[in-house]
Amino acid sequence: MNRSVLITGASAGIGAALARTYAAEGWNVILTARRQAPLQALADDLTAAHGVTATVIPEDLSDPTAPERLVATIAAHDLTVDGLVNNAGFSRVTGFLDTDLSAHRAMIQVMLTAPVELSRLLLPGMIQRDFGRVLNVASLAGQMPATGGDTLYGPIKSFLIKASQGLHLETQGTGVHVTVLNPGYTLTEFHDVNGSREQVSSAYPAWMWMDAARVARIGYHACEANRPSVTPGVMNNVMAGLARFLPGGLALRMVANHAKRLDRI
């Protein structure tokens, strides 16, 4: 197999774990994120470990022109994108009103608009070639009522879940698989970046956390099996089920308690 997968937000965390998973399965990888140095280090590791081609294309997806520029740069490298992993993301935990509008705008651009645009730009080629994979990394938060403090994060992930479901249906019979991956608490640098490591570590026991490599493998195999959605971990599925079947007011109180434990409201 000589397939290539584009992975956004590939410099660390679940993105890097997914890059390692795809490379171990023989995929060439196209890595993008804002920081060149960690991308290059990862690319070198993947080439040495698995003999795949790893192409580094730094981009800042908060720039509205980035998706089209990224696709054009890939074409200029004479590369074909057979798989797309929309993983780039972050959260703002300072509260809706205490966060600058520019920061909200960047979050929506990176986590909602860019995945839509990259999917729209790359899916036609996949369908034409009768082969493609799209793995959208959402979150357990997208299956729960929105919480205070990081008010936009859950709704954005809910959008990504619903959009993935629609694309999964639209691409049936085309050779393209579309899957949404909904991790719960995962051991990555994510919480260090948004400054919530101490709060989340003290709020939840160690057994609720999952390893990024395991989450990545679950996502990869779910996409290969053309499952529309996968939520790793028994407890995460229990929580998603509770949110789905509990009365709305009770589910909202449940996530409000979560936000209070994290000192966000």
Side-chain angles (χ1 to χ4, degrees):
M1 180 180 71
N2 188 25
R3 307 286 190 187
S4 294
V5 57
L6 168 63
I7 303 174
T8 71
S11 60
I14 291 176
L18 282 162
R20 295 185 188 281
T21 298
Y22 274 89
E25 295 290 338
W27 288 69
N28 295 323
V29 293
I30 305 166
L31 308 175
T32 190
R34 290 180 302 166
R35 298 175 295 162
Q36 166 125 18
L39 287 177
Q40 191 60 58
L42 176 61
D44 293 342
D45 286 348
L46 297 180
T47 299
H50 304 291
V52 299
T53 299
T55 304
V56 170
I57 305 176
E59 266 296 355
D60 182 355
L61 290 177
S62 67
D63 180 348
T65 65
E68 289 189 345
R69 183 169 58 245
L70 176 59
V71 171
T73 303
I74 291 169
H77 281 78
D78 199 26
L79 297 170
T80 298
V81 177
D82 304 292
L84 169 63
V85 176
N86 284 308
N87 169 75
F90 51 89
S91 70
R92 304 291 187 185
V93 297
T94 52
F96 183 78
L97 295 179
D98 290 329
T99 301
D100 290 341
L101 181 58
S102 61
H104 288 311
R105 187 179 294 117
M107 187 174 178
I108 292 168
Q109 180 66 40
V110 170
M111 296 171 58
L112 192 156
T113 306
V116 169
E117 293 187 359
L118 288 171
S119 298
R120 182 60 183 85
L121 290 165
L122 295 171
L123 271 169
M126 296 181 191
I127 292 172
Q128 185 178 29
R129 295 186 296 274
D130 302 315
F131 182 91
R133 302 288 187 265
V134 177
L135 180 61
N136 291 322
V137 181
S139 172
L140 174 64
Q143 299 173 291
M144 312 287 285
T147 62
D150 55 351
T151 301
L152 295 185
Y153 184 83
I156 289 172
K157 293 300 189 180
S158 293
F159 171 91
L160 195 58
I161 291 170
K162 296 294 187 183
S164 300
Q165 292 169 341
L167 285 177
H168 176 84
L169 294 176
E170 281 198 43
T171 54
Q172 291 296 291
T174 66
V176 175
H177 298 179
V178 179
T179 298
V180 61
L181 171 64
N182 307 302
Y185 283 117
T186 306
L187 295 169
T188 71
E189 301 91 336
F190 179 85
H191 297 101
D192 297 313
V193 171
N194 68 19
S196 64
R197 168 63 62 197
E198 183 177 350
Q199 293 98 322
V200 295
S201 295
S202 61
Y204 295 100
W207 56 264
M208 287 189 64
W209 293 78
M210 294 187 69
D211 176 75
R214 183 182 172 204
V215 169
R217 288 193 298 271
I218 290 170
Y220 174 83
H221 289 297
C223 192
E224 287 302 299
N226 203 18
R227 293 176 60 185
S229 178
V230 62
T231 300
V234 173
M235 191 61 195
N236 292 329
N237 281 279
V238 170
M239 292 174 66
L242 285 173
R244 191 161 56 247
F245 294 114
L246 285 175
L250 183 57
L252 189 60
R253 285 198 295 275
M254 182 175 73
V255 298
N257 288 333
H258 159 84
K260 289 175 181 176
R261 280 197 300 273
L262 298 180
D263 197 28
R264 293 179 185 172
I265 59 173

